[in-house]
Structures are given as structure tokens and as C-alpha cells.
């Protein structure tokens, strides 16, 4: 994983958190005015959905953070009777 993946996950979590906070503010303002309209119920539903998305994205962000900097080995060759974790040279075929 790269730092860009972590940055993308953090920005997504932050944006979902801000949208959830805005929906909560709209819901609270509508309740304080005593409105029982569909807009209040819709904003309450959206706030719950965005809170759920925020929590799931934040957990993903923590997982990505734990993987940043760890190299992934995607190629293993057998040379001299031992396994080597070296990628092949670009443009060359691996030894058979």
C-alpha cells in the first residue's frame, strides 16, 4: 500500500464525517422547530447512513495505515535451489 491510498481513505472518511455532521445539524434544527416533515426524516436517515459509511471508511483507513510501507512480494523465483524474492528484470523473461 502507498501513502496515496491512505490519503484517499482519510479524505473519504473526513468528507463522510462532515456530511454526517451537516445532516445531524439539519435534523436537530428541524426537531427544535417542531417540524415533522419528510425533510427531517430524510435528513435523519441520511445522517445515520453517512455515519455508518464514516465508521466503515475510518476502519478501512486504519487498515490501510497499518499496511503502508510494507512491501508486497508478488514474484518468487527458484534459483540455485533456493527461493528468491526478487522481481524479474523488466523486459527479460525469468529463468526456466
Amino acid at each position: 500500500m502507498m501513502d496515496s491510498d491512505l490519503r484517499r481513505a482519510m479524505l473519504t472518511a473526513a468528507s463522510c464525517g462532515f456530511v454526517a455532521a451537516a445532516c445531524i445539524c439539519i435534523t436537530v434544527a428541524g426537531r427544535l422547530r417542531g417540524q415533522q416533515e419528510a425533510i427531517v426524516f430524510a435528513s435523519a436517515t441520511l445522517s445515520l447512513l453517512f455515519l455508518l459509511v464514516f465508521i466503515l471508511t475510518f476502519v478501512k483507513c486504519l487498515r490501510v495505515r497499518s499496511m503502508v510501507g510494507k512491501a508486497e512480494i508478488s514474484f518468487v523465483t527458484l534459483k540455485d535451489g533456493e527461493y528468491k524474492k526478487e522481481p524479474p528484470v523488466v523486459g527479460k523473461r525469468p529463468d526456466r
Side-chain angles (χ1 to χ4, degrees):
M1 291 284 170
M2 310 242 337
D3 290 330
S4 61
D5 295 329
L6 177 62
R7 192 174 308 122
R8 185 180 311 119
M10 295 212 27
L11 287 174
T12 304
S15 64
C16 288
F18 287 133
V19 171
C23 288
I24 289 171
C25 290
I26 292 171
T27 304
V28 169
R31 285 294 199 177
L32 290 177
R33 290 183 193 158
Q35 294 176 343
Q36 296 293 331
E37 297 178 6
I39 295 174
V40 175
F41 294 119
S43 62
T45 305
L46 282 176
S47 64
L48 290 175
L49 289 175
F50 276 110
L51 276 175
L52 179 66
V53 171
F54 170 71
I55 291 169
L56 292 175
T57 311
F58 189 73
V59 168
K60 180 183 175 186
C61 181
L62 292 177
R63 286 184 180 174
V64 169
R65 184 175 179 225
S66 69
M67 288 189 273
V68 167
K70 294 182 181 176
E72 293 183 12
I73 300 167
S74 61
F75 190 83
V76 177
T77 61
L78 181 64
K79 286 185 179 178
D80 303 327
E82 294 182 22
Y83 289 103
K84 305 284 181 177
K85 298 177 183 178
E86 300 169 358
V89 178
V90 177
K92 302 282 185 177
R93 288 188 173 182
D95 295 336
R96 292 185 187 224

